[in-house]
Amino acid sequence: MHITKNSRGQRWRAAPEFGVMPLSGNKKHFMEKALLIIDMQNEFCLKNEKDIGYNYSSIVAPINAISSHFRGNEWKVFWVNWGVDPSLESVSEFQKEKFNNYEYPPEMNWKRKLNGSKKVLEKSSWSASILSSLKKDKSDIYVSKQTISGFHTSNLDKKLKEYSLKELYFAGINLDQCVLATLLDAHCLGYDCILLEDCTSTSSPDYCRQAVLYNVDKLFGNRGTRLTPDSLSLR
């Protein structure tokens, strides 16, 4: 995503393509939008103690740009992240098995050392913390989840309804896993869903990404993509 300026220093305003309603609009839509940034956490993004994986580093700047734009228009920015209770009371036995009971294997000792806890993605731990290169603001809203979807076992739906938010823009990782699961639940709950393609990424094979984009276009929402001068309006 590119937020650019013209010769007079005016900023371009974001407007998703594919027939999605522009971010500028009438009063009715002004307070209805929310940006959901999903799972941009140390555990997933860092490939060693200081370096972000390539797939994820490429979306940091786009996410910072779109989140800044939302805040500038007084729209809500949500950080929807894993924040697992160490008791694992809200986690199913199947999920515990899939996630190695949320404990680090021996080859991940560097993560365990930084985390200060043997539990992966424990709430308030290093593992669950948002990447330091992402810009946050005191007006942002933070939601902790215990499962793949941001809606299950969380207060996300309650918070969205509290602010009368109807139109949700999705960013983060992994596109074909937690982002998709959250988008599908949002769709089933009656929200309008827009996937910001260049603000999402995944470590999965490309066919997984293509399948998500195909199904979002066909069934579950709309897709915003890289911004160009042709798809922008002056702010």
Side-chain angles (χ1 to χ4, degrees):
M1 178 174 296
H2 300 295
I3 303 295
T4 59
K5 295 182 179 180
N6 65 9
S7 60
R8 293 174 292 172
Q10 293 172 302
R11 297 187 68 211
W12 294 102
R13 167 171 284 186
E17 296 175 353
F18 298 94
V20 182
M21 182 180 294
L23 295 184
S24 57
N26 59 33
K27 184 71 172 179
K28 178 179 181 294
H29 293 283
F30 186 75
M31 294 301 292
E32 291 187 349
K33 303 179 194 304
L35 174 65
L36 273 56
I37 306 171
I38 299 168
D39 289 358
M40 293 297 292
Q41 298 169 272
N42 289 333
E43 180 64 37
F44 303 117
C45 294
L46 293 181
K47 63 181 181 180
N48 55 47
E49 293 188 21
K50 59 181 180 179
D51 297 320
I52 305 173
Y54 171 77
N55 284 358
Y56 305 140
S57 63
S58 63
I59 64 173
V60 169
I63 288 175
N64 281 338
I66 193 66
S67 63
S68 176
H69 184 76
F70 264 68
R71 296 181 194 106
N73 283 281
E74 299 183 19
W75 298 321
K76 289 297 181 184
V77 174
F78 283 73
W79 298 91
V80 183
N81 295 323
W82 286 93
V84 179
D85 189 300
S87 69
L88 303 183
E89 290 181 355
S90 300
V91 178
S92 69
E93 292 302 317
F94 180 78
Q95 190 169 316
K96 290 177 188 176
E97 181 180 342
K98 283 289 184 183
F99 284 84
N100 192 41
N101 206 40
Y102 289 83
E103 294 184 358
Y104 285 112
E107 63 269 23
M108 291 295 176
N109 278 341
W110 68 272
K111 285 188 176 181
R112 179 173 177 175
K113 180 180 178 181
L114 288 171
N115 200 36
S117 166
K118 67 179 182 179
K119 290 295 183 185
V120 179
L121 295 169
E122 184 177 322
K123 189 173 182 178
S124 300
S125 68
W126 169 89
S127 174
S129 296
I130 298 168
L131 277 178
S132 60
S133 53
L134 288 168
K135 297 176 182 177
K136 299 172 283 293
D137 187 83
K138 62 182 180 180
S139 65
D140 296 348
I141 297 171
Y142 298 84
V143 174
S144 292
K145 64 189 179 78
Q146 310 273 319
T147 64
I148 299 294
S149 169
F151 282 93
H152 188 61
T153 66
S154 84
N155 64 349
L156 178 56
D157 187 48
K158 179 181 177 181
K159 283 291 185 182
L160 292 169
K161 286 182 167 61
E162 181 181 326
Y163 289 99
S164 300
L165 301 169
K166 304 291 186 183
E167 190 171 289
L168 308 184
Y169 291 74
F170 291 82
I173 62 171
N174 278 304
L175 171 61
D176 54 321
Q177 298 166 11
C178 293
V179 175
L180 176 61
T182 306
L183 187 149
L184 289 177
D185 277 354
H187 167 78
C188 292
L189 288 168
Y191 293 97
D192 296 327
C193 301
I194 298 93
L195 178 67
L196 295 172
E197 183 181 349
D198 61 340
C199 292
T200 60
S201 188
T202 183
S203 57
S204 302
D206 191 60
Y207 60 78
C208 298
R209 173 181 168 275
Q210 293 296 336
V212 171
L213 299 181
Y214 174 83
N215 282 301
V216 167
D217 284 345
K218 193 162 185 71
L219 297 171
F220 304 125
N222 288 295
R223 179 158 46 114
T225 188
R226 188 171 301 279
L227 300 178
T228 65
D230 291 336
S231 64
L232 303 174
S233 59
L234 283 175
R235 183 169 185 172

